[in-house]
Every structure is written in C-alpha cells, then in structure tokens.
Amino acid sequence: MVLAFDLTPVIVLLPVLSFVIALFAGDYLPWGGAEVGIAATTGALGLSLWVALTLAIGSGPYHQTVYTWASGLDAVNLTFGVLIDPLSSMMLIIVSLVALLIHIFSLGYMNDEGEDGIPRYYAGLGLFSASMLGFVVADNLLMAFMFFELVGLCSYLLIGFWFRESGPSSAAKKAFLVTRFGDYFFLLGVVAVFATFGTAMFVGESSFPALAEAAINTDQVAVNTFGFSPQSWFTILGLLVLGGVIGKSAQFPLHTWLPDAMEGPTPVSALIHAATMVAAGVYLVARMYGFYAISPDALAIIAFVGGFTALFAASMGVVKREIKQVLAYSTISQYGYMMLGLGGGGYVAATFHLMTHAFFKALLFLGAGSVIIAMHHTEDMWEMGGLKRKLPVTYYTFLAGSLALSGIIPFAGFWSKDEVLFEALLHGLDGNTILLAAYAMGLLAVFLTGFYTFRMVFLTFHGKPRTDAARSPHTIRWNMKLPLVVLGILAATVGLLNMTPVAELTGLQIEFIHQWLKHGFAGLTTEHYEVLLHDYAGYGVAELHLSPLLPGAVSLGLALSGALAARHLYSVPEPVEHTAKLGRAKTVLYNNYYQDEYQVWLATGLTRSVSRISNKFDQGIIDGLVNAISSVSLFIGSRMRRIQTGAVNDYAVLLTLGLTALLLAVGLVGGWFV
C-alpha cells in the first residue's frame, strides 16, 4: 500500500502532462484538449482516493523529500517534498474531483459554444489544477510559496482568457496586482522564517512550528528573533504570511479583485472559488495551524478579519444584479467564515466548511453557467425569471446549492457553517471579546446570506419570464447536467460527515471529519492543536460546556428568516427592486463601499506622490552627488592628461621638478633649513 504514497507526485504531474499536450497538440485533438484534461483529472482523482484509502486503513502519514534544490547554504537546504496526512489527502480529493467536473462542464460551456482558443483554455485548466495539487502536498513553506505564485499566474491567464476584450484583460491585471501586493508580505514571511529557524518545513521535530513552540517554552532553542521576544516575533511572522492569505482568499481589504474576476469564463470562476486559488489561503493557515495556535494576537486578527469580511461581503451581495456577482460576494463571505473558524479555534470546523463550500460553490457557479448559456450569455437576473420549468435539472441542483450556502438543514452548509459559529461563540465566552464581536458579525451575515441567496433563486427561476431570452432559453446538454447532478448530491449529503449537533443530542459517533483529522504526524493533529490553543491562546480555559443545539437553532432561524424575507419580496410574478428603498445606502453597497476608488486613490494620489518625491530625491541628491564626483574626476583627469606629451625632455623636466619639490618638503618638515 506504500505504493500509493510513492505515486503521489504523479497526482501533480498528470495535469501538467495535460497542460503540455493541450498547449502544443490541442489544435489536432477532437475536443481541443478536453479529453486529456478529463483523463488527467480522472487519474489524479483515482490516485487521490487511493492515497486516502491507504491512510484510512492505518498505513500512517507520509513524508518524503523528492528533490534537493540547493544545499549547504549556511546549513539551509532548499527542497521539494511530499507531505500526505489527513488534511492534504482530503484536499487532494476535493481539488481533483472539482477539476474533473469542471473539465466535463466545459465541454458544454466552451466547446459547444464554439469559443476560440479552446486548447489554450484547457492548457490553463491543467496547469491551474497541477499548481493547486502541488501546493496541497508541499512539505515546506518555500515550496508552498512557489506553487502559490503559480496558482496566481494561472488565475491571471484564465481570468483574462478573452484578452481581446477590455473587461477580462483589466480584471486579470487587477487580480494579479492585488494578490501580488499580499504576496510581497508572504515572501517577506518566508525569508524571515528561514532567517529565524533555518528551515521552513511543516513537519518533524525540526520543523519551524515545532521550533517555535520549543523556543517559547525554553531558552535552550537557538532561534534568531532579531531582538524581539519569541512570542512577538512569531506573531509578526504569522502576520506576514497572512498577507498572502488575505490576498489569495479575498479577505478585507484585498478582496476587490474577486468580483472583477467574474469576467473570465464561468467554469474558471467555479475552479477559482471552489477548489483552487481562493481556497489556497485558507488551506495554508490550516497547514501551519500549529504555528498560529501559539500566537493569540494572530488568531484574534484572523478571527476578526474573517468575521468582518463575512458581514462586509454579504451586505454587498444583497444589491447585485448579475448572478455571478452575487456568487462572487458570497465566496468572499464564506471564506470569511473559514477564517473566523481558524481564528476562533475551530480548526476542524474551518476545514470542514472548506470542503462543503468547495462542492456547493462549484455547483452554484456551474449552475449559473448553465443559466447564462440558456439565456444566451445574459447575466442580469432582472432579465431572467420563469426558468424553473425550462431548466428543471439546473433549478433543482441550484436549489440544493442555495440551501447549502444559506445554511439550512440538512444541507452541507448548515453543518459546517454552524460549527464555525459555535466554536467562535464557545471560545469567545472564555472572555475573548474580539471573538465575540467576530461571532456577532458572522451571525448577522447568516441572515443576509439567506436573503441574497434566495433573492437570486427567485429572480432567476421563479415568477414570469421577463425577456424573450427567458421565454425561449437555450437547451442544456448532458455534459453540463452531469456535473450539476453530482455536485447537487454532494451539496445535499456531504454535511452528514460531521453532524456535531446530532452527535451532541444522540451521543452517536457521527463526527467523521473530527475523527479523520485526529490522525497524522505528531504536531499536525487536532489534539495537539487543542493543547496549544488552551495553553497559549486561552481557548477552553473556562471549561464551558455549551451545547451546540441552541446556537445552531439561532443560526438556522436567521437563515430561514432571510430566505423567507426574500420569498416575500421576490417570489412574485412581477418582482420589483426593493433594494431601491435603501436610497443612498444602495448606491454605496452597489459600488462596493467605493473600495475600488479608495485603492485607486491610494495608488494615484498617495503612492504616486510619494514615488515622485522619491524620484526627485534620487535624481537630485543621490544622482547629483554621484554625477558631481564624476565631473570632478573627469576635470582633474582632463588637466592631468595635458602633461602626457610623449616627449622625453618634458618627462625629465617634470621628474626633476618633482624631486626638487619632494626634497624641499622633506627639508621643511625635518627642520633642515633651521
């Protein structure tokens, strides 16, 4: 069974192979490279399931260095390695399954629509999938950073797939630049981790999380904290890495790129939002959770940013007109919940929500893509209506995803999101006011999520058709229906893997995700994280015994209230835009709190002014000083050059005069003439 672990690199290499074939031979293939992409992701999924099965039967986790990039650099080795534990194996299945379904869906969305550049599209999907799979199995922070950047590059290429149009190309550049801003901090964090610990390994007794823990407990561990206390310095390191996480996972204030990324093909949006780029940031925090667990300040910031982002993004989703825009803001909000869970001590809850969200958000985006194709590429929900009878498969699967997103029992999102909120509340009641504030924001976002989600459902599928396109929608083929059905089943059932409220009520052992994540390397298990959270962050110190039933009921009530409010306002034959009653508040929300304008001002008003001053200082003072020294040297040299005549008589005279002057100088100094 060890063979499964040995073949782990093949999981990454198969999509790389599909990328190469599609890029160079796609024009000669019947489906433009889709067939090799489907084959590669199918193989990756099969191997991922084999790896998970090997772990499940008790073979234990796996860690192996695959390639040594550089060694002997002051005892620092730069390597590429594979790390397989319950967390990474779960993500391998999620990424490969979603990538496979998106490849199949693309046959209807891209191929059947006769889009240009199909080989380039499938090549991008292959490289995108490989990049995320490589990121998932990375055993050190530097390797993770490199695949992190490759994920960003792929997103740039795929968001800007229709590069001849101004919208997609602009959105691609925006996504690239905004996420790069966060990645600068990530890179500083990687360098600082190496400078501090001499290693960036995630696992082992000499890993940087283990060394950090030991450095706090004893002074015998030799780490360089650059004059800071170990606790303070490790918090700084964690926050530097968090900069990259906030960028990739579209958390406030680096969230502005994600709504614009909807300019890309809808299957790309599904891949970005569900299983690759945006998921990468949350996965990274979960991967190095042992390091964050020893820093209560970092945890508090993660939780607060997550709770605020969940509410902040949800408030904008209630006024959007385009179906993909609503889903984009829901993604920002849901990843806010995951960050809230990680910061609130809910490691299992956050990773569980990462899994459930991957399935129901992929479903919703692919469902939106089905609607867009049926509507002849119209995205405005106010031009839809009455599609329930025309697109029954799309409707019922989309409804399953909407129920999961809203957090309505028994669909997936209810179990995972409510567990996130419960963990934040439980640890907030220990006396952590920041966690309580984050919990309150997350709870309020539940109502807004239910509202904007079912506003989207009712405007799109219910009522009377409001345009000719809605009256005569385009037919949807099997290659688009099949992924919807698979994801619809998962959205309805995958939450049953971890039914914490039911387990509390019945005493049954049905918290399978909890049990799954208990195993792994020492230092990378939930039990170890719980100890760290208790000892360093104070989570669970009060030993409160709070049942999840009442908090779960409150959350469910808010979700249902939001859905019922949307039904009352928009489930009518001819709906009207009730959000117009918000007045200027709607304008603010629709324009995203003017965050784009604010960032443009920072770039053009502040940053450009500072750069101009710096440029003047550089050219006037620095360059001026250098040029002045050069000019003096050139002047002296030009004058000295005149004495180089080439005549021996002139040189003899100069030699005599020089010797005479030297003797006179020595005589004066030595007192010869006194």
Side-chain angles (χ1 to χ4, degrees), residues 3 20 23 56 60 62 86 92 128 138 144 159 280 288 349 371 411 507 517 590 606 614 619:
L3 180 62
V20 174
L23 186 64
Y62 175 79
L92 285 176
F128 207 176
I159 293 170
M288 50 186 292
V371 169
F411 292 84
L517 295 174
Y590 193 80
L606 180 62
S614 300
Q619 292 187 355

Side-chain angles (χ1 to χ4, degrees), residues 151-499:
V151 166
L153 173 63
C154 294
S155 70
Y156 167 77
L157 297 174
L158 287 170
I159 293 170
F161 175 75
W162 292 306
F163 61 90
R164 293 180 178 85
E165 302 175 17
S166 60
S169 60
S170 178
K173 288 184 285 187
K174 183 178 181 179
F176 190 80
L177 293 173
V178 173
T179 56
R180 289 297 77 70
F181 179 79
D183 291 344
Y184 288 137
F185 296 98
F186 188 4
L187 179 58
L188 289 174
V190 173
V191 174
V193 166
F194 271 109
T196 302
F197 304 103
T199 181
M201 283 290 177
F202 292 133
V203 63
E205 295 182 356
S206 59
S207 64
F208 72 92
L211 292 175
E213 182 183 349
I216 293 178
N217 293 328
T218 178
D219 295 332
Q220 303 302 315
V221 180
V223 296
N224 186 5
T225 60
F226 300 91
F228 294 88
S229 67
Q231 190 82 61
S232 300
W233 180 242
F234 299 157
T235 299
I236 293 172
L237 295 183
L239 294 179
L240 286 173
V241 175
L242 187 64
V245 172
I246 288 175
K248 284 292 193 296
S249 291
Q251 299 294 283
F252 179 88
L254 301 181
H255 64 282
T256 54
W257 67 269
L258 191 59
D260 288 8
M262 300 303 98
E263 293 283 353
T266 301
V268 171
S269 301
L271 194 58
I272 289 175
H273 288 245
T276 54
M277 185 166 173
V278 191
V282 172
Y283 176 80
L284 179 62
V285 176
R287 180 77 286 167
M288 50 186 292
Y289 198 65
F291 187 77
Y292 282 107
I294 63 175
S295 176
D297 292 335
L299 289 175
I301 292 172
I302 291 171
F304 188 83
V305 169
F308 178 80
T309 302
L311 178 59
F312 184 73
S315 68
M316 291 180 280
V318 302
V319 300
K320 297 300 179 180
R321 297 178 60 92
E322 297 82 8
I323 187 171
K324 287 175 64 176
Q325 285 287 309
V326 176
L327 293 175
Y329 283 99
S330 79
T331 296
I332 299 172
S333 181
Q334 295 305 304
Y335 278 98
Y337 279 111
M338 297 173 208
M339 297 295 287
L340 170 60
L342 291 168
Y347 167 79
V348 176
T351 53
F352 183 33
H353 197 51
L354 178 62
M355 179 182 69
T356 61
H357 178 266
F359 296 134
F360 67 69
K361 185 52 58 73
L363 168 61
L364 288 170
F365 265 108
L366 297 187
S370 178
V371 169
I372 292 168
I373 291 296
M375 289 290 299
H376 308 281
H377 295 276
T378 296
E379 297 187 23
D380 193 337
M381 297 182 296
W382 288 95
E383 297 183 13
M384 301 176 186
L387 295 177
K388 176 181 178 180
R389 295 182 179 179
K390 303 288 186 179
L391 305 172
V393 174
T394 300
Y395 170 71
Y396 286 106
T397 54
F398 196 92
L399 180 62
S402 299
L403 289 166
L405 172 60
S406 301
I408 295 174
I409 193 169
F411 292 84
F414 168 79
W415 307 104
S416 57
K417 183 163 60 179
D418 279 20
E419 188 172 352
V420 165
L421 291 171
F422 173 73
E423 292 285 353
L425 175 62
L426 179 64
H427 296 134
L429 292 175
D430 282 334
N432 194 320
T433 55
I434 293 179
L435 273 187
L436 287 178
Y439 166 77
M441 290 186 288
L443 194 63
L444 181 57
V446 170
F447 172 82
L448 296 178
T449 302
F451 179 82
Y452 70 66
T453 300
F454 279 90
R455 171 179 175 266
M456 174 177 60
V457 171
F458 293 129
L459 286 176
T460 302
F461 295 99
H462 289 239
K464 296 180 179 180
R466 292 183 289 277
T467 61
D468 291 337
R471 296 183 188 94
S472 302
H474 191 278
T475 303
I476 304 302
R477 295 183 62 205
W478 69 268
N479 46 29
M480 300 179 71
K481 293 178 182 179
L482 177 61
L484 294 178
V485 172
V486 174
L487 290 169
I489 295 171
L490 290 172
T493 60
V494 75
L496 304 180
L497 293 174
N498 211 65
M499 296 185 289

